[in-house]
Amino acid sequence: MNANVATAAPAPLLLRRAGTLDTIVALVRREFWEHRSLWICALVVQGLLALALLLGRIDIDVPAHNLTPQQMASIFTIGQWALAQPLYMVMAIVVVFYLLDCLYAERKDRSILFWKSLPLSDELTVGSKLLVAAVVVPLGAFLLASASDLVYAAIFAVRVPHAISWNTYEWLRTELVLLIECVIGVLWYLPIAGALLLFSAWIRRNPILWATLIPVVAPIVEFVALRTHYIWRFEQYRAGGIWHKLVSGPDVFEKAGFRNLPPAGVVLDTLNFRGIFTDADLWLGIVAAFAMAYAAARVRRYRDDT
């Protein structure tokens, strides 16, 4: 990364604009200037998927002429949901590395001295990085996946016209399922984002190594010293997500069979929003995330490695 180019570009914006909102926008733009993988990886993933659908082999093992409109809508929406998952998984990995690098890199290349010379608080700077990881990137991934679904549908319509049919209502319902999945995932994993930010601000060398070693070594040390597994169970619980509470009732896809296969949007009828948003662990995790982000800002104030 060219530090001079990366840091000099948004500086006039920050100095020229007095409003807090404009400053936050400029800080967010700075993150995408300095960490281009946040948008390049998303475009590469979607481009490769489109290329694979366009040039690769598509083999859908279904009767060619006996599909009902419901079955065609089900194939369409389940494919729509499945094709969005690679983007979300790749961007989750990209965001993890971004959070570990964003505060460490500015100390490493000494650009932190330039940013501290501007009238910007540490809380605002760290908050903009959490905003990018928890709001801007997930929202951008959702919008890109939604736009890509239209391209994929056009490719499918040309290559396998007998297997799918466009259904605007079911498409919108499936997009709503994907949006809910994205929002709940962000809220549940927010404390992990806060912890990674704290690692990036606190660790002097190799934050990626430390962030990998500590979750692995801590359960081992606990078991050797105390013969208990509390840390490991907590890590499994937090990593596994809150998904088991999201859907109430039986799995509508498990025993449906192909003849009665429902579209993906039917999941909306079984979502347990009350169980999700009244879950104490969800809100405690959000509070912990903001506490760790604040701690990262305090550490950044006094640590510049000079």
Side-chain angles (χ1 to χ4, degrees):
M1 179 187 72
N2 188 327
N4 294 329
V5 174
T7 57
L13 292 172
L14 294 170
L15 294 175
R16 195 166 60 236
R17 298 180 176 183
T20 302
L21 181 60
D22 290 333
T23 302
I24 292 174
V25 171
L27 286 171
V28 169
R29 292 177 63 186
R30 169 210 172 183
E31 298 306 314
F32 285 93
W33 281 325
E34 292 188 351
H35 303 272
R36 297 181 181 179
S37 60
L38 291 174
W39 57 272
I40 290 178
C41 287
L43 295 178
V44 168
V45 169
Q46 297 305 87
L48 290 175
L49 278 175
L51 191 63
L53 292 175
L54 188 62
L55 302 179
R57 177 181 177 182
I58 299 178
D59 185 9
I60 302 178
D61 187 15
V62 297
H65 304 291
N66 297 321
L67 293 178
T68 65
Q70 177 183 340
Q71 289 170 336
M72 296 179 75
S74 299
I75 295 173
F76 170 61
T77 56
I78 291 172
Q80 173 188 347
W81 179 87
L83 287 171
Q85 301 311 307
L87 176 62
Y88 287 133
M89 289 187 288
V90 169
M91 293 315 296
I93 296 171
V94 170
V95 165
V96 167
F97 283 97
Y98 160 73
L99 288 169
L100 285 171
D101 183 67
C102 59
L103 294 174
Y104 170 72
E106 66 178 13
R107 300 199 318 272
K108 185 177 180 181
D109 62 15
R110 300 294 191 267
S111 63
I112 189 173
L113 301 177
F114 169 79
W115 290 106
K116 283 192 172 183
S117 69
L118 300 178
L120 297 169
S121 67
D122 295 283
E123 290 78 10
L124 187 62
T125 302
V126 173
S128 69
K129 298 177 186 298
L130 186 61
L131 179 68
V132 167
V135 177
V136 180
V137 171
L139 180 60
F142 169 74
L143 294 176
L144 179 59
S146 299
S148 300
D149 282 335
L150 301 177
V151 177
Y152 301 155
I155 295 174
F156 273 116
V158 173
R159 299 202 59 188
V160 283
H162 65 276
I164 67 169
S165 65
W166 177 263
N167 188 314
T168 303
Y169 174 70
E170 292 298 344
W171 181 81
L172 290 173
R173 289 219 303 170
T174 304
E175 289 301 319
L176 184 56
V177 170
L178 289 169
L179 180 59
I180 293 170
E181 173 188 327
C182 184
V183 171
I184 292 176
V186 167
L187 293 176
W188 181 254
Y189 295 116
L190 197 60
I192 297 178
L196 295 176
L197 265 178
L198 184 56
F199 273 117
S200 185
W202 180 33
I203 303 298
R204 291 186 180 274
R205 297 290 183 273
N206 298 319
I208 295 176
L209 177 63
W210 281 99
T212 305
L213 281 179
I214 290 178
V216 173
V217 173
I220 297 175
V221 172
E222 181 202 4
F223 177 73
V224 171
L226 305 173
R227 296 294 173 179
T228 58
H229 298 280
Y230 294 114
I231 295 177
W232 175 244
R233 290 171 183 167
F234 174 76
E235 290 177 355
Q236 284 183 311
Y237 174 63
R238 182 54 66 171
I242 201 170
W243 311 113
H244 63 284
K245 294 183 180 180
L246 180 60
V247 179
S248 61
D251 188 346
V252 294
F253 296 96
E254 184 177 1
K255 297 181 180 180
F258 177 74
R259 185 175 298 276
N260 299 313
L261 187 67
V266 76
V267 173
L268 289 173
D269 300 329
T270 62
L271 294 183
N272 182 20
F273 290 108
R274 182 177 180 180
I276 290 292
F277 291 107
T278 58
D279 186 271
D281 292 336
L282 178 72
W283 297 106
L284 288 174
I286 293 173
V287 171
F290 284 107
M292 287 184 283
Y294 178 74
R298 300 297 296 179
V299 171
R300 182 182 184 270
R301 174 172 297 182
Y302 301 106
R303 176 164 295 179
D304 56 16
D305 291 357
T306 59

